[in-house]
Amino acid sequence: MSSVQEVTWRMPAWIARELDLDTPLDGDDAKMAFTVALARRNIEHGGGPFGAAIVDAVTGLVLAVGANWVVEQRSSLLHAEIAAIAFAQARLGSHSLASGNYELFASSEPCVQCLGATVWSGARRLVCGASTGDAEAIGFDEGPRRDDWVAELERRGIQVVLGVRQADARAVLLAYQARGGAIYNGLYAAP
């Protein structure tokens, strides 16, 4: 096995073809509808059932999106929130989103990994669709997240809103389960 000197994550080509990233989104409902639609399209393209978007709170423009590409791109790090944050920061040319008024919309409450990334991302607001219980109900392990995670984010200046379009986001999870999508964790290995 040779030493790897670079890791590259790819934005799937279907994102630019199928998503309108140029029209401003107005309000939490529209932003979450966009995020849930992203998650649904991701499973249609063979990805996991989670989507995320970084949105400028002032203009309503989407700065970057991410979806769960763990299996497709062979990286346990490529959860939707992580991908959206990474692509947004690359677009800004900064390690932080704190230079603007950016919101993170996630089709599901964050797992422990995405929660940590949210804390350090510079996002000022986190808006979630499905609950952790919804994701765990189909078999995902969301990790050892503290029970007071919302209060902790708010203590750090990150506003949290839960349950926006929860039924729609839960339906994406159930559609993924019905398709026989991989429920992966550290013990699951892709062929």
Side-chain angles (χ1 to χ4, degrees):
M1 185 178 278
S2 67
S3 174
V4 174
Q5 300 298 314
E6 181 176 303
V7 175
T8 304
W9 293 345
R10 293 177 280 84
M11 179 72 64
W14 66 265
I15 298 283
R17 283 193 318 265
E18 298 181 23
L19 297 181
D20 177 3
L21 300 174
D22 298 321
T23 300
L25 302 170
D26 186 29
D28 287 355
D29 191 68
K31 293 170 189 174
M32 186 57 72
F34 173 88
T35 304
V36 170
L38 166 63
R40 184 174 301 284
R41 285 188 175 131
N42 196 54
I43 64 172
E44 291 167 0
H45 288 279
F50 303 98
I54 304 290
V55 181
D56 184 314
V58 175
T59 66
L61 290 171
V62 175
L63 177 66
V65 299
N68 188 290
W69 301 311
V70 167
V71 174
E72 175 187 359
Q73 295 194 37
R74 295 177 179 84
S75 175
S76 63
L77 299 175
L78 271 172
H79 290 198
E81 296 94 318
I82 302 286
I85 291 166
F87 283 113
Q89 290 173 343
R91 186 169 177 193
L92 291 173
S94 175
H95 68 282
S96 177
L97 301 173
S99 63
N101 195 10
Y102 294 108
E103 306 170 299
L104 171 56
F105 280 77
S107 65
S108 184
E109 291 178 12
C111 69
V112 67
Q113 171 180 263
C114 295
L115 178 63
T118 300
V119 168
W120 303 123
S121 72
R124 309 213 184 217
R125 194 163 178 256
L126 171 65
V127 181
C128 303
S131 70
T132 296
D134 295 332
E136 290 176 341
I138 69 163
F140 281 99
D141 178 357
E142 299 300 271
R145 192 181 67 191
R146 291 171 41 165
D147 291 339
D148 65 344
W149 69 274
V150 171
E152 181 59 26
L153 286 185
E154 290 181 342
R155 187 183 71 74
R156 293 170 178 263
I158 303 168
Q159 180 189 9
V160 178
V161 179
L162 303 176
V164 176
R165 298 188 72 100
Q166 183 174 357
D168 295 340
R170 182 185 313 115
V172 172
L173 293 168
L174 294 172
Y176 182 76
Q177 181 184 41
R179 292 172 72 111
I183 305 298
Y184 42 82
N185 57 39
L187 302 176
Y188 169 81

